[in-house]
Amino acid sequence: MSSPSKRREMDLMKLMMTDYKVEMINDGMQEFFVEFNGPKDSSYQGGVWRVRVELPDAYPYKSPSIGFVNKIYHPNVDEMSGSVCLDVINQTWSPMFDLVNVFEVFLPQLLLYPNPSDPLNGEAAALMMRDRNAYDQRVK
């Protein structure tokens, strides 16, 4: 077994040992769904999202592909595809990170601190900058 596949297996097992519900898509360890809860003290608190994760062959040297399956209203998430605009996943990924970081740090931070100046959902970004209360209501 090569090093990336050992690491993929180890990271996936580590994620499964947390409180996250993980559902494999097929027999391999490359694609799966994770049930993700909105972070406390955010407009997303109480929400539950199904997040699709796809691990490239070169994982952990190449970042996982992350996308929300059910709709989420957020400036940095494409409303149609669910794809996520997050520098730490898309540009600055490091093999030091693992799947638990994605769900315990990166995605909660994305929901807690949206960046309307770099939107994938222009409507959500504009509403957030124009009327934060209306944005929060739309999210809920």
Side-chain angles (χ1 to χ4, degrees):
M1 191 186 298
S2 68
S3 181
S5 60
K6 277 185 184 172
R7 170 67 188 272
R8 182 172 33 250
E9 189 176 317
M10 189 176 77
D11 284 3
L12 187 55
M13 291 303 148
K14 194 169 151 188
L15 183 65
M16 291 172 137
M17 288 167 42
T18 64
D19 291 336
Y20 297 102
K21 182 179 172 195
V22 179
E23 177 189 330
M24 303 311 290
I25 291 179
N26 52 35
D27 294 338
M29 295 187 153
Q30 307 232 188
E31 294 179 76
F32 49 93
F33 295 110
V34 176
E35 194 173 279
F36 176 72
N37 294 296
K40 286 184 170 67
D41 302 323
S42 77
S43 304
Y44 299 92
Q45 183 173 336
V48 179
W49 286 271
R50 189 171 163 97
V51 177
R52 182 185 174 110
V53 180
E54 194 171 332
L55 300 179
D57 289 335
Y59 177 87
Y61 304 104
K62 191 167 185 280
S63 66
S65 174
I66 306 289
F68 286 87
V69 176
N70 45 333
K71 282 200 183 274
I72 183 168
Y73 191 72
H74 189 284
N76 310 113
V77 179
D78 183 277
E79 202 167 15
M80 298 309 290
S81 71
S83 62
V84 175
C85 179
L86 189 58
D87 283 349
V88 76
I89 292 174
N90 298 332
Q91 281 107 26
T92 61
W93 177 263
S94 161
M96 293 184 334
F97 302 138
D98 65 17
L99 296 171
V100 173
N101 292 130
V102 170
F103 290 95
E104 289 190 353
V105 180
F106 306 151
L107 288 181
Q109 296 241 327
L110 176 77
L111 298 188
L112 284 164
Y113 310 106
N115 180 5
S117 60
D118 185 20
L120 277 177
N121 180 337
E123 179 198 327
L127 182 59
M128 182 183 179
M129 290 192 288
R130 190 176 62 246
D131 186 347
R132 183 61 192 242
N133 288 333
Y135 169 82
D136 288 338
Q137 287 306 309
R138 174 85 187 263
V139 164
K140 290 176 182 174

